[in-house]
Amino acid sequence: MSDVDQQRALVAQACRVAAARGLVDGILGHLSLRVDDEHLLIRCRSDTDTGVAFTRPSDIRLIRFDGTAGAAGELDGYRVPNELPIHVEPLLSTPAYRAVARRHPPAVVAADLAGITIRPIYGAYDIPGAWLARRGVPVYERAVLIRNSRLGKEMVAAMGDAPIVICRGHGITSAADTIQQAVLQAISLDQLARMSLRVRSAGGTPHDIDDHDWDDLPDLGPAFNTDAAWRHEVARLGDDHPN
């Protein structure tokens, strides 16, 4: 299997992980992975598409940043997502980003529409999530289809230096160095939103954890935070191979 084929399989697997976690439903949502300075792999749609939960490696197509086929036949029978700028603009703005995940977690959308700001309301329950929230989760305050570079740049401006942004009344965009990190960030954000909604529904008010607690919330490293966490997500799918 070539490197590109391995990457196709990984992006397809990440789509299925996101669907299994409830971050997407039906046919909406897409992920991308930068291949080089001119190409990316992205989940595309076809007339045989059965939804994100059933993404196949063949649904992941190699394209150029302008949306044209990255090689002969890559877009035969496939269409790039309307929201391609959601992927291209973060990748162009921040070279450290190699992967972008566009997700639609209902809990995040609901929490934002309810006026709940995502904050670090817990600590060791999910340390990477807590640190993600401590940095602040920005909001792009337009519920539009981001289908051109102008809107994509607006979203990136709202994102600032954060790796994730809530798009009001729409979903989230998560960017990272790896496709695993992009999806795991989205999972952490979803868990924070779910917990915030639970606290509110129980009659409570979400509060940030104590400032003194941060010294005892260490970075446990990628072997635990990413590698072990991803193995678990793959095992939940029942996939035979993590890649």
Side-chain angles (χ1 to χ4, degrees):
M1 182 182 291
S2 70
D3 288 345
V4 171
D5 286 341
Q6 288 181 334
Q7 290 173 325
R8 286 186 207 270
L10 177 59
V11 177
Q13 185 181 74
C15 289
R16 298 193 299 274
V17 165
R21 277 290 190 170
L23 302 182
V24 291
D25 190 25
I27 62 173
L28 300 178
H30 25 80
L31 282 85
S32 67
L33 180 65
R34 182 204 298 267
V35 174
D36 56 36
D37 291 340
E38 298 180 355
H39 300 85
L40 68 153
L41 289 164
I42 190 166
R43 188 191 193 280
C44 292
R45 296 193 176 95
S46 72
D47 291 339
T48 61
D49 192 349
T50 55
V52 180
F54 307 101
T55 301
R56 306 157 298 189
S58 59
D59 296 323
I60 313 303
R61 313 308 293 182
L62 181 69
I63 67 169
R64 295 181 180 275
F65 277 44
D66 64 3
T68 59
E74 282 290 336
L75 289 179
D76 289 356
Y78 282 88
R79 301 177 296 278
V80 299
N82 289 320
E83 291 191 309
L84 179 62
I86 275 180
H87 301 266
V88 171
E89 296 305 329
L91 294 176
L92 290 176
S93 70
T94 308
Y97 292 153
R98 292 189 61 246
V100 177
R102 177 59 159 173
R103 313 285 77 186
H104 301 86
V108 179
V109 175
D112 178 60
L113 293 177
I116 299 174
T117 300
I118 302 298
R119 297 296 305 159
I121 61 173
Y122 51 61
Y125 182 88
D126 175 12
I127 295 176
W131 281 101
L132 180 70
R134 191 187 193 197
R135 293 181 59 178
V137 180
V139 178
Y140 175 52
E141 297 182 356
R142 302 191 64 189
V144 297
L145 197 69
I146 303 175
R147 56 181 179 172
N148 59 54
S149 60
R150 174 180 60 83
L151 293 173
K153 286 181 171 64
E154 280 185 7
M155 184 202 72
V156 169
M159 201 170 185
D161 62 358
I164 200 163
V165 61
I166 298 170
C167 297
R168 177 153 293 157
H170 193 170
I172 67 173
T173 300
S174 175
D177 177 56
T178 68
I179 200 77
Q180 296 95 325
Q181 289 172 317
V183 175
L184 291 170
Q185 283 176 174
I187 292 172
S188 285
L189 182 62
D190 181 57
Q191 293 300 310
L192 278 160
R194 288 171 182 264
M195 190 66 76
S196 297
L197 289 168
R198 285 181 179 181
V199 171
R200 283 286 186 93
S201 67
T205 301
H207 295 289
D208 288 15
I209 63 172
D210 193 283
D211 284 344
H212 293 97
D213 289 343
W214 291 105
D215 290 340
D216 291 307
L217 291 173
D219 182 351
L220 298 178
F224 183 81
N225 290 336
T226 303
D227 298 346
W230 194 252
R231 285 195 302 272
H232 167 72
E233 299 301 332
V234 171
R236 283 167 53 97
L237 290 179
D239 281 11
D240 293 332
H241 302 288
N243 294 315

